[in-house]
Amino acid sequence: MDYNFDEVIDRHGTASLKWDSAAAPDVLPMWVADMDFKTAPSVIAALRRRVEHGIFGYVRVPDAYYEAVTGWFARRHGWTIDRQWMIYTSGVVPAVSAVIKALTRPGDKVVLQTPDYNCFFSSIRNNECTLVSNPLKRVGNTYVMDYDDLDAKLADPAVKLLVLCNPHNPVGRVWHRDELVRLGEMCIRHGVTVVADEIHCELVYEGHRYTPFASISDDFLRHSVTCFSPSKAFNIAGLQIATIVAADAEVRGRIDRAINVNEVCDVNPFGVEATIAAYNEGGEWLDALLAYLKGNYDYMADYCACHLADFPITELEGTYLVWMDCRALCGDSVALEQQLIDGTRLWLNAGAMYGVEGEGFMRWNLACPRSVLNEGLDRFASFVRQHGH
């Protein structure tokens, strides 16, 4: 089947966070991580069927949900998940927050590999824990883990958790199995539990392979908790559903209590139906999406090489989020974000929101029709020329 990812769909007036948050209607938003594509036809059809029923009461999550999730991960990623390990909740951010609440006490420390997804910072802070940064090392146009620094940080007995972003947002890494093994062995040795946010796990490009952290060994499974959702890959974040996998029964019970304390134990029927349809019938659409997104990245890389040579972008292995070095233009990424909005009506994410290591960088969302991406790049290039570059 052919899918038209080039179609430009007007999202103004749909209460879209991405498109209806700007002060001016001509702002081009390439910031928050949702896509400007319709979701898979199978998902739309499933939602239509559910709407036709006309009653939208509390949902009892059916066996079909667990079967869809476990079947997808077995087929697509070679990971066998026992349905007894699974807890559903309203999103990956609430999931990570609940896991932190369940497995720490106020004053405990949690390691992040910065620059890192901004909501992790608030999840740690809101649970009265202390952030410990293990900065990633920039090597050429990619990032690697600093294991010496990590080992030193994990040795602190106050460190209880490490939040692993796999694939990594915002730097676009898909961690290799041997990288995960080295990290996991360090965490186990120091008695630190890995909380793996794997929400971008489906968004991995040719030549790279997503390895579920918990699939590596029984030890890794027992010493980790994994959180994932079809929300990013199938563009259904507004349907608010996610899965937590915790094999240890005692840990799972603590997480379940924390989810109830945080009042994120209920999901809506549309999220359930969308997940079942996405995982059971959405593979072909997802493959087509990945090919289009890779084409967008290649287009952006060529454009930058020709017109924005002073603004290198990180190699994109996974996610649809591109990390651009803007230090040639400005050291204050928050100020640059506003200047771009005011000067060219282009809205990107300031790198500083992902930690101090992100200062001077900007994050682009290229999950849009190629014509829209070209317009965003043209606006950025115009801004650069206006500022003497």
Side-chain angles (χ1 to χ4, degrees):
M1 183 181 293
D2 291 329
Y3 306 101
N4 184 14
F5 297 108
D6 286 318
E7 180 185 5
V8 177
I9 302 168
D10 186 3
R11 298 180 64 187
H12 288 105
T14 62
S16 164
L17 175 68
K18 185 177 183 180
W19 284 87
D20 289 329
S21 295
D26 59 343
V27 170
L28 178 58
M30 302 185 76
W31 60 292
V32 69
D34 78 6
M35 301 192 289
D36 292 326
F37 309 124
K38 289 182 180 178
T39 188
S42 59
V43 174
I44 296 171
L47 295 175
R48 283 201 181 108
R49 290 193 296 269
R50 189 64 183 82
V51 166
E52 285 301 314
H53 184 262
I55 300 174
F56 314 114
Y58 298 115
V59 64
R60 179 184 179 276
V61 176
D63 289 344
Y65 176 87
Y66 296 93
E67 291 163 1
V69 174
T70 57
W72 174 269
F73 275 84
R75 293 190 310 273
R76 194 94 177 178
H77 306 300
W79 182 23
T80 301
I81 302 173
D82 188 320
R83 65 165 288 170
Q84 299 302 318
W85 303 342
M86 295 167 56
I87 304 170
Y88 58 80
T89 187
S90 59
V92 166
V93 172
V96 170
S97 293
V99 173
I100 293 173
K101 178 183 286 292
L103 302 183
T104 65
R105 295 178 178 176
D108 285 345
K109 296 179 180 180
V110 180
V111 174
L112 295 185
Q113 296 181 296
T114 50
D116 213 347
Y117 177 48
N118 54 294
C119 286
F120 295 156
F121 295 78
S122 55
S123 293
I124 293 168
R125 183 175 60 250
N126 292 343
N127 283 295
E128 300 180 65
C129 292
T130 299
L131 165 66
V132 175
S133 179
N134 167 228
L136 299 173
K137 294 193 294 187
R138 185 172 172 85
V139 178
N141 66 342
T142 191
Y143 284 79
V144 298
M145 296 185 190
D146 185 339
Y147 293 104
D148 290 338
D149 180 74
L150 178 60
D151 198 40
K153 301 287 174 60
L154 294 175
D156 182 347
V159 170
K160 304 301 180 184
L161 303 177
L162 177 144
V163 180
L164 170 71
C165 199
N166 176 39
H168 193 281
N169 169 19
V171 307
R173 277 300 316 276
V174 177
W175 301 116
H176 300 159
R177 189 181 189 279
D178 60 342
E179 293 174 304
L180 296 175
V181 167
R182 191 170 177 186
L183 175 144
E185 288 175 346
M186 284 184 181
C187 288
I188 291 171
R189 185 167 69 251
H190 291 293
V192 173
T193 299
V194 173
V195 183
D197 173 357
E198 301 188 351
I199 194 171
H200 293 277
C201 65
E202 311 306 340
L203 299 165
V204 173
Y205 303 112
E206 189 174 355
H208 305 280
R209 181 178 178 83
Y210 154 68
T211 301
F213 179 85
S215 73
I216 292 173
S217 72
D218 286 343
D219 270 353
F220 279 42
L221 175 66
R222 288 193 301 271
H223 290 86
S224 67
V225 177
T226 302
C227 308
F228 55 76
S229 170
S231 60
K232 295 300 181 194
F234 289 90
N235 206 29
I236 54 173
L239 300 184
Q240 298 192 320
I241 194 159
T243 300
I244 300 170
V245 175
D248 183 282
E250 192 269 336
V251 167
R252 193 166 60 249
R254 289 163 66 183
I255 294 169
D256 190 55
R257 287 193 296 275
I259 284 174
N260 281 272
V261 169
N262 285 0
E263 302 291 2
V264 288
C265 50
D266 290 323
V267 293
N268 73 70
F270 298 107
V272 172
E273 295 297 334
T275 297
I276 293 169
Y279 286 156
N280 285 347
E281 305 172 68
E284 180 187 282
W285 177 88
L286 178 60
D287 291 339
L289 170 72
L290 289 170
Y292 190 87
L293 291 174
K294 180 59 164 60
N296 269 4
Y297 174 75
D298 291 343
Y299 180 87
M300 183 174 182
D302 289 343
Y303 187 105
C304 290
C306 291
H307 305 292
L308 296 166
D310 292 335
F311 301 88
I313 59 174
T314 302
E315 180 182 350
L316 191 65
E317 300 176 358
T319 82
Y320 49 70
L321 305 164
V322 176
W323 192 237
M324 175 183 274
D325 186 347
C326 295
R327 289 175 292 182
L329 187 64
C330 180
D332 185 342
S333 61
V334 174
L336 178 57
E337 177 181 331
Q338 191 60 50
Q339 289 163 7
L340 284 166
I341 293 171
D342 294 340
T344 66
R345 296 294 193 260
L346 174 65
W347 191 350
L348 306 177
N349 279 128
M353 71 187 295
Y354 307 104
V356 295
E357 295 81 9
E359 188 56 272
F361 291 78
M362 303 297 286
R363 192 189 78 166
W364 293 68
N365 175 354
L366 52 66
C368 58
R370 200 152 301 152
S371 61
V372 176
L373 173 60
N374 182 75
E375 174 64 21
L377 289 165
D378 281 349
R379 292 188 189 194
F380 187 86
S382 174
F383 181 89
V384 168
R385 288 192 299 271
Q386 291 169 18
H387 289 77
H389 286 267

